[in-house]
Amino acid sequence: MKHSKIFFFSIVVALAGFLFGFDTVVISGADQQLQVLWQSSDLFHGLVVMSTALWGTVVGAIFGSIPTNRLGRKRTLISIGALFFISALGSALASDPYVFALLRFIGGLGIGVSTVVAPSYVSEIAPPAQRGKLVALYQFNIVFGILMAYVSNYLLRDIGENAWRWMLGVEAIPALIYSMLVLKVPESPRWLLEYKNNKAKALEILQSIAPDTDIEKELAEIETEKSQEVAKENIYMKKFRVPLMLAFFIAFFNQLSGINAFLYYAPRIFELAGLEKSASFLSSIGIGVVNLTFTLIGISMIDKYGRKTLMYICSFGYIVSLSLVALAFALKWEGMLVPLFFFLFIAAHAVGQGAVIWVFISEIFPTKLRASGQAFGASVHWILAAAIPALIPFLFGQIGPALVYVFFGIMMVGQLLWVIFKMPETKGQTLENLAAKLSK
């Protein structure tokens, strides 16, 4: 890549996504062990043991713009590593479901804040022509973390009754590595201009990370946007209605696909489909491999073909795969058919929503409100990501998986219509141009 420093800093910041993916999915390996250990009902297990991290994510996403704006992008990124480290060690040592839930909640805070600050930071340092793939490195690291969590769970599944402690505790290692690496990252030049009015430092960083770009022109565009701002603006003002609704709907449809409901309970779902325990864990690794492979494909396409094209592809893929999953459960097809249908589902998600969501939300708000807009989109995403998986054990028991997946399929028809009629294309445009077009 032409801008090697920008690429390196983007990778380091995107490692927050690795911790996000690992932390989100590692609990799936401990799912049934924890329910047996603490003799939990399906409702308590889903709402407290399994989903508390997601409620922490909601809180982190809602309030993540506060440290991102006040402390700066860099200090907030550093704090994320500490939250993940504390959560990993603490939850591995927990002795009852309430302490466990509290420590998982702390990890959730790290996830929520990371979905605000990491895409915002990368979008602010990335050249327009490469912004899609650079911000999407965050999503790549999410799915890489998911794959590593599945592999780790598989390797540790048979080491005894405390296997779940090792599954959860091993995350402390990448959390520590990330914390050390992110110390090398500079502050966002756009944040320095917007919140500290420090043009000299912003210019110094821009010259360091992208010396061959037209820095004066870039600074002039940023300052022009800043000069047009009105005091005490917020994303809920009428002029920002379009980007606000775009952020809402891309996050809404992301979770109404059922993606987190599946990732959290993959081994359980595969066992419901008739696979033995060992095969269900192996199939989960297969999900991670497919997710990683098609995320790479999505990242390679996002700047060439655009965000909207990828969303078309994933919408059709969702509708087909979820229909097949629902049919398989309704007709009681057992064996490898259900995993294969879920592989198609994951491939569709990885190419489209997975690659696009964090890129798209980070592009559509002006610099001053980017963290707030990112926090809003992430909050919608994580409220649904907490609520839906929390209900899955209960819904599977009451109405069965077939009807659950029929509902998700119908929601994806809604996503397709939204993409066709409402979603704009954002590829290749400067952040300042996009803000001017979408904020009326």
Side-chain angles (χ1 to χ4, degrees):
M1 180 170 284
K2 188 176 180 180
H3 303 105
S4 58
K5 284 189 176 180
I6 291 177
F7 185 57
F8 172 74
F9 296 142
S10 298
I11 289 177
V12 170
V13 172
L15 287 174
F18 179 91
L19 297 171
F20 163 174
F22 196 99
D23 193 85
T24 298
V25 168
V26 72
I27 190 70
S28 68
D31 169 22
Q32 296 181 68
Q33 288 185 60
L34 292 175
Q35 188 167 12
V36 172
L37 175 66
W38 289 320
Q39 297 295 297
S40 306
S41 68
D42 283 347
L43 199 56
F44 179 88
H45 182 66
L47 287 172
V48 178
V49 177
M50 293 295 287
S51 295
T52 309
L54 285 172
W55 291 114
T57 303
V58 171
V59 174
I62 290 172
F63 297 104
S65 64
I66 296 174
T68 301
N69 288 337
R70 293 186 181 177
L71 299 179
R73 290 13 177 180
K74 180 175 180 175
R75 289 180 184 176
T76 306
L77 288 165
I78 293 169
S79 71
I80 291 168
L83 291 172
F84 281 118
F85 184 81
I86 292 166
S87 174
L89 280 185
S91 57
L93 298 171
S95 57
D96 68 72
Y98 299 101
V99 173
F100 178 86
L102 174 62
L103 287 154
R104 289 285 296 162
F105 181 87
I106 291 171
L109 290 175
I111 294 175
V113 176
S114 82
T115 57
V116 176
V117 65
S120 295
Y121 178 90
V122 178
S123 73
E124 288 175 357
I125 67 167
Q130 299 166 336
R131 189 174 59 241
K133 63 170 65 73
L134 288 175
V135 179
L137 285 172
Y138 180 68
Q139 178 65 21
F140 168 80
N141 274 277
I142 293 172
V143 299
F144 185 48
I146 289 170
L147 174 59
M148 289 298 99
Y150 282 139
V151 170
S152 176
N153 286 349
Y154 177 75
L155 295 175
L156 296 171
R157 75 194 188 285
D158 291 328
I159 64 171
E161 61 181 15
N162 287 320
W164 66 271
R165 295 188 186 275
W166 290 98
M167 290 177 183
L168 293 161
V170 76
E171 185 188 347
I173 298 171
L176 188 60
I177 294 170
Y178 163 80
S179 299
M180 291 187 293
L181 286 174
V182 82
L183 292 171
K184 302 286 187 182
V185 169
E187 185 52 85
S188 161
R190 280 181 165 85
W191 179 82
L192 287 168
L193 273 174
E194 185 64 54
Y195 286 91
K196 295 297 181 182
N197 201 29
N198 192 340
K199 184 174 180 179
K201 186 64 176 177
L203 182 62
E204 178 188 329
I205 292 172
L206 284 170
Q207 287 174 334
S208 170
I209 64 177
D212 53 347
T213 59
D214 190 342
I215 294 170
E216 289 298 332
K217 180 183 177 184
E218 187 168 347
L219 284 175
E221 287 183 351
I222 297 169
E223 290 184 320
T224 298
E225 181 190 282
K226 186 178 179 182
S227 69
Q228 294 170 349
E229 292 169 358
V230 178
K232 296 184 179 179
E233 281 186 331
N234 65 76
I235 58 171
Y236 302 102
M237 294 172 68
K238 186 176 180 180
K239 66 184 290 189
F240 301 117
R241 182 185 300 165
V242 171
L244 190 75
M245 295 312 295
L246 291 173
F248 173 86
F249 278 108
I250 196 166
F252 175 84
F253 286 123
N254 183 287
Q255 285 305 301
L256 267 293
S257 68
I259 182 64
N260 267 41
F262 171 62
L263 293 176
Y264 251 56
Y265 295 102
R268 180 187 291 236
I269 290 170
F270 289 147
E271 286 185 43
L272 283 173
L275 273 67
E276 294 179 358
K277 182 177 180 180
S278 180
S280 71
F281 270 87
L282 275 174
S283 294
S284 298
I285 294 175
I287 289 294
V289 172
V290 172
N291 202 356
L292 187 68
T293 302
F294 281 87
T295 295
L296 285 170
I297 293 172
I299 291 172
S300 71
M301 296 168 64
I302 193 168
D303 284 320
K304 184 176 181 180
Y305 297 104
R307 291 55 159 154
K308 189 163 183 168
T309 300
L310 298 191
M311 289 294 289
Y312 275 125
I313 294 170
C314 87
S315 296
F316 285 110
Y318 277 147
I319 293 165
V320 171
S321 59
L322 288 168
S323 299
L324 289 171
V325 169
L327 197 60
F329 278 115
L331 300 179
K332 297 186 175 8
W333 296 344
E334 295 190 347
M336 287 304 297
L337 276 177
V338 171
L340 287 174
F341 297 156
F342 272 116
F343 289 169
L344 176 59
F345 168 74
I346 289 292
H349 175 82
V351 167
Q353 272 276 13
V356 170
I357 179 171
W358 304 118
V359 175
F360 186 73
I361 297 174
S362 73
E363 294 175 321
I364 57 179
F365 293 95
T367 298
K368 185 177 181 180
L369 300 176
R370 181 163 298 111
S372 298
Q374 194 79 29
F376 172 78
S379 300
V380 174
H381 175 279
W382 287 115
I383 288 169
L384 292 170
I388 295 170
L391 294 172
I392 286 298
F394 177 76
L395 290 174
F396 278 8
Q398 294 299 309
I399 66 174
L403 284 178
V404 171
Y405 283 100
V406 166
F407 171 76
F408 290 143
I410 292 170
M411 289 298 100
M412 292 304 93
V413 174
Q415 175 179 274
L416 177 61
L417 295 174
W418 175 77
V419 172
I420 292 170
F421 295 109
K422 293 294 183 181
M423 183 181 179
E425 183 54 73
T426 60
K427 72 167 183 173
Q429 302 177 60
T430 67
L431 296 176
E432 289 71 32
N433 285 343
L434 284 169
K437 287 180 182 179
L438 297 175
S439 303
K440 305 262 175 118

